[in-house]
Amino acid sequence: MAQHTVSETNPTYVTGADRYRIPFTGFLTPDNPKFAVMEEFVLPEHRRPEGYGLAFLESEEHSLTYIGSVRQIEEYRASNGDGTAVLDPSQGVMYAFWPRDEGWDDYLPHNTWNPGGEGIVTEFDHPLGGKVVVYEYLQNDPKADGPTPMIGLHCERCHPRPNLDYDKHRPNTRPHDRRWFARNARAHVRRHAEECRPADPRMAEAVQQIVNEKYGVNNPTVTWESGCATDGPCSQIRHLRARG
């Protein structure tokens, strides 16, 4: 796992990492019909009329776009057959995020941190015990061609219900999705350390009593923590950890 640096004024805002990987490289040249609008991402002093060689870098919580010459990226690709080539960043410039919006959204393929879209992205120790985990998983969607990659956030101390909070899960397509969830995890650890606690079991007991009386049954109370461990995010995360 990479070591990340944060802003001096905002400890939840990551500004860099000690290592990145390069999942994609590519080219933006004038023969692209959206060259002009996509080139707006590049500052005027960094523009190259002949086009650009691009490398997209990512860590668990950060991303960079490298902009260099077409020739440099061609040579990098040619020498990277075994995955050991090193990109020389001194030949171009780095931008602290991947581009988005017109042209770029179609140009960049969706990606996940873990192969196949399932696994732990990062996790943080909770000061009162347990961890706050950012994880990837696949969600079956009957309206889609296949499972949808999702990003999730779960605190192993307070066990928030992900289906009640959009900030606890959403589609997982690019580094900015994972960065947002890692930021929320950092914020959860810092801001909710003292008030972060499991739900009051008396609420579960009261709800179960109402259900039992309504339907004439005598089912035992199952707390949210127990359900989380057997059929919720904790169970899901345990499975992902076991996968490695």
Side-chain angles (χ1 to χ4, degrees):
M1 185 178 295
Q3 296 296 314
H4 291 84
T5 55
V6 298
S7 166
E8 294 182 359
T9 58
N10 182 357
T12 68
Y13 183 77
V14 170
T15 58
D18 64 345
R19 60 188 177 89
Y20 296 84
R21 65 186 183 192
I22 303 178
F24 310 122
T25 59
F27 306 96
L28 176 63
T29 55
D31 59 352
N32 187 311
K34 293 189 176 181
F35 179 81
V37 68
M38 293 171 68
E39 191 184 36
E40 292 177 4
F41 172 73
V42 184
L43 293 174
E45 59 267 32
H46 299 151
R47 290 182 181 173
R48 301 169 181 258
E50 72 279 9
Y52 309 90
L54 306 168
F56 300 94
L57 290 72
E58 63 175 351
S59 69
E60 296 91 339
E61 300 183 62
H62 200 248
S63 60
L64 297 169
T65 300
Y66 173 77
I67 301 174
S69 69
V70 170
R71 180 177 179 179
Q72 181 191 10
I73 298 302
E74 287 177 338
E75 292 175 348
Y76 171 83
R77 282 186 170 184
S79 62
N80 198 40
D82 60 358
T84 61
V86 177
L87 181 71
D88 179 6
S90 68
Q91 297 185 38
V93 293
M94 288 283 193
Y95 284 37
F97 46 86
W98 288 13
R100 298 174 63 180
D101 300 322
E102 186 174 355
W104 291 107
D105 287 344
D106 294 328
Y107 179 88
L108 283 169
H110 290 179
N111 83 319
T112 60
W113 180 255
N114 294 280
E118 294 185 292
I120 306 299
V121 176
T122 189
E123 54 189 1
F124 305 90
D125 291 327
H126 196 293
L128 300 180
K131 294 182 179 294
V132 180
V133 185
V134 180
Y135 63 103
E136 296 176 317
Y137 63 100
L138 299 177
Q139 178 173 281
N140 290 323
D141 184 351
K143 298 180 181 179
D145 293 336
T148 300
M150 302 290 290
I151 186 76
L153 166 64
H154 188 67
C155 174
E156 295 179 339
R157 177 170 173 79
C158 67
H159 305 280
R161 299 172 186 256
N163 60 321
L164 300 181
D165 191 343
Y166 184 63
D167 283 339
K168 298 298 185 293
H169 69 155
R170 68 172 64 174
N172 177 28
T173 62
R174 305 275 173 82
H176 65 259
D177 297 319
R178 300 181 283 277
R179 181 178 186 177
W180 175 252
F181 273 67
R183 174 195 174 279
N184 287 347
R186 288 176 179 269
H188 187 85
V189 167
R190 290 185 58 82
R191 298 175 186 170
H192 305 296
E194 295 301 327
E195 60 192 53
C196 178
R197 58 178 61 90
D200 188 340
R202 291 173 297 180
M203 290 296 296
E205 292 173 0
V207 171
Q208 190 62 57
Q209 182 179 351
I210 293 172
V211 172
N212 287 346
E213 291 175 355
K214 180 176 181 179
Y215 295 101
V217 296
N218 190 30
N219 293 328
T221 299
V222 178
T223 64
W224 167 242
E225 291 83 352
S226 297
C228 189
T230 57
D231 193 31
C234 277
S235 172
Q236 194 171 20
I237 289 168
R238 187 170 62 250
H239 172 70
L240 294 176
R241 285 193 175 120
R243 287 166 53 100

